Amino acid sequence: MSATTPPPAGLHAWLTTEDVASTRQARLGRLYRGWLLLLRNPPALAGLAVIALLILVALLAPLFAPYDPNVQAMDRALLAPGAAHWFGTDEFGRDVFSRILFGARTTLTTTVLVTVIVAPIGFLVGATAGLLGGWVDVALMRVTDIFLAFPGLVLALAFSAALGPGLENAVIAISLTVWPPIARLARAETLTVRGSDYVIAAELQGAGRGRILLHHLVPICAPSILVRLTLNMASIILTAAGLGFLGLGVQPPTAEWGAMAASGRQYLLDAWWLTTVPGLAILFVSLAFNLLGDGLRDILDPRNG
């Protein structure tokens, strides 16, 4: 093909094997630098370790749990922590340690489902508002402001009460409170790059709004949204625990940390472990996501790359 022959399949046809290799090396270099920055951040590394442990426990809970989390044995009710039951037993004689392990599965499932739902919704709403502007921007942002006007937990309680208790409804209720900050962030990132040279060049080459959205805005917004989602996971866990504590989340006998803390509050003086253990689990996991989010914010900062 001569130098004047147009590319048969778009601009990517001009890329040589060396170009592709260089691109891969650049990406690997960025990943390696990011890993080095993570190693230099002990709090973020500790948060990552706790989250990795959470995932491992959630996936392998049936192998790690010494007892069935739902089997009741009234002759073992309210046993203090010991060799047979590391975290004691609850009012129904169920092993608290086993229920904590299975509760990690419930917590991780809720967090992942909410994140998968709110990430594309928040990005599409914010990027569409910033890219199109005009009345579309005004309408979408006013709807976003309405959701932001209410405290997240209060709004989640309202939606959960309207939809009814259960895991699926809790995921929907929490998702409806988490997407607005993502939309605001995506809009701000879009407004920053909307008038940039490469976006204007893409428009002059005939690229549609959809192509600009996917091929230009997604790579720009992804780092900021990733950090925001990681930080939001802590609030997702706390909101899910709050719904479970009030009886609007996952229903018994399914193990859930918030519901476990609620069931033990009437035994707080005599069986402190019923509320302390799930409360500490919520604390450590929420703190781990916050620490990891802060670390990712430093790693993805362009000034560090």
Side-chain angles (χ1 to χ4, degrees):
M1 185 173 63
S2 64
T4 58
T5 303
L11 293 177
H12 293 291
W14 290 100
L15 292 176
T16 64
T17 304
E18 292 77 8
D19 295 330
V20 174
S22 299
T23 302
R24 291 176 180 173
Q25 290 175 358
R27 291 175 179 174
L28 290 175
R30 287 194 294 268
L31 290 175
Y32 180 69
R33 288 194 298 270
W35 176 248
L36 291 180
L37 289 173
L38 181 62
L39 292 178
R40 297 171 187 169
N41 192 330
L45 201 59
L48 180 61
V50 172
I51 294 170
L53 180 62
L54 172 70
I55 296 173
L56 181 65
V57 166
L59 294 177
L60 303 179
L63 298 179
F64 292 155
Y67 301 94
D68 189 316
N70 298 326
V71 172
Q72 301 181 10
M74 299 306 298
D75 58 321
R76 300 182 309 191
L78 299 179
L79 292 180
H85 301 279
W86 292 354
F87 293 163
T89 61
D90 63 8
E91 68 274 23
F92 299 110
R94 297 174 297 191
D95 184 61
V96 175
F97 177 69
S98 300
R99 291 183 63 78
I100 286 291
L101 297 182
F102 277 85
R105 176 175 290 188
T106 304
T107 298
L108 184 63
T109 300
T110 304
T111 305
V112 170
L113 289 177
V114 172
T115 302
V116 169
I117 292 173
V118 302
I121 292 177
F123 169 75
L124 288 177
V125 171
T128 301
L131 188 62
L132 298 182
W135 67 269
V136 176
D137 183 18
V138 173
L140 292 178
M141 288 301 100
R142 295 299 77 77
V143 173
T144 304
D145 290 340
I146 292 174
F147 281 87
L148 289 173
F150 298 91
L153 180 58
V154 174
L155 197 60
L157 287 173
F159 284 124
S160 186
L163 295 173
L167 176 61
E168 297 82 2
N169 292 338
V171 169
I172 295 173
I174 298 173
S175 300
L176 290 173
T177 67
V178 176
W179 70 266
I182 305 297
R184 276 289 183 185
L185 180 60
R187 176 181 179 270
E189 295 282 356
T190 302
L191 291 176
T192 302
V193 302
R194 186 175 63 178
S196 59
D197 293 339
Y198 61 87
V199 172
I200 296 175
E203 292 176 343
L204 293 176
Q205 292 175 1
R209 300 287 187 180
R211 183 176 180 81
I212 294 175
L213 196 69
L214 295 177
H215 292 272
H216 297 280
L217 295 182
V218 168
I220 293 296
C221 297
S224 300
I225 291 179
L226 176 61
V227 172
R228 182 68 191 190
L229 287 173
T230 306
L231 294 172
N232 276 352
M233 288 179 182
S235 63
I236 293 172
I237 293 172
L238 291 174
T239 304
L243 294 179
F245 188 89
L246 297 174
L248 296 175
V250 179
Q251 296 300 291
T254 303
E256 197 274 328
W257 293 343
M260 291 174 62
S263 65
R265 57 185 171 179
Q266 56 183 325
Y267 307 101
L268 189 59
L269 297 180
D270 299 324
W272 54 267
W273 57 89
L274 295 183
T275 52
T276 302
V277 173
L280 289 176
I282 296 171
L283 171 64
F284 285 136
V285 174
S286 301
L287 181 61
F289 277 111
N290 273 328
L291 293 176
L292 181 60
D294 289 335
L296 288 178
R297 180 164 49 196
D298 295 336
I299 292 172
L300 298 176
D301 190 336
R303 292 171 294 184
N304 294 329

